[in-house]
Amino acid sequence: MRLAWLFLVLAIATEVVGLTVMKAASGSGSYWGHVVMYSSIALSYVFLARAVKTIPVGVAYAVWEGSGVAVITLVSVFVFGHALSGREMLGLAMAVAGILLLNAGRSDAEEAAA
């Protein structure tokens, strides 16, 4: 089970790398930037596929997508200087709360099954 969560973390990390490089490559038009972007995003899906062998696909996808959005938003704030509006901050907080609730619900379900 821990290995599946490691794959999910790797999926999130490679997605963030790919999308961060996409932003940088779109401004510079770098060929290598696009290669890194496509490779990272493809690798992210490979890691996600490995994670869903153990983690339920709905939970894995929600954690992957929600965590990816949260981390990419933080990257855009700290690396690219994007200022978040109040609505954006509220949406980000709601996404994080949803991820936490999904994981809390999954833990309860696992305990009931055991």
Side-chain angles (χ1 to χ4, degrees):
M1 182 60 117
R2 286 185 179 168
L3 188 59
W5 284 101
L6 175 64
F7 282 129
L8 188 57
V9 168
L10 289 171
I12 294 164
T14 52
E15 177 193 27
V16 169
V17 167
L19 294 177
T20 302
V21 171
M22 176 176 58
K23 171 73 173 166
S26 68
S28 69
S30 167
Y31 173 76
W32 286 108
H34 286 90
V35 170
V36 171
M37 175 192 68
Y38 289 126
S39 300
S40 295
I41 292 172
L43 191 57
S44 176
Y45 279 97
V46 169
F47 287 136
L48 182 61
R50 295 290 305 264
V52 299
K53 287 183 176 182
T54 305
I55 302 169
V57 70
V59 172
Y61 183 76
V63 171
W64 175 71
E65 192 63 34
S67 299
V69 166
V71 174
I72 289 165
T73 301
L74 293 174
V75 167
S76 72
V77 168
F78 293 110
V79 175
F80 298 113
H82 177 77
L84 292 178
S85 70
R87 287 182 183 173
E88 290 171 321
M89 285 188 257
L90 177 62
L92 189 58
M94 290 173 69
V96 170
I99 292 166
L100 294 174
L101 288 171
L102 263 173
N103 283 326
R106 186 166 179 345
S107 297
D108 291 343
E110 286 177 346
E111 289 175 15

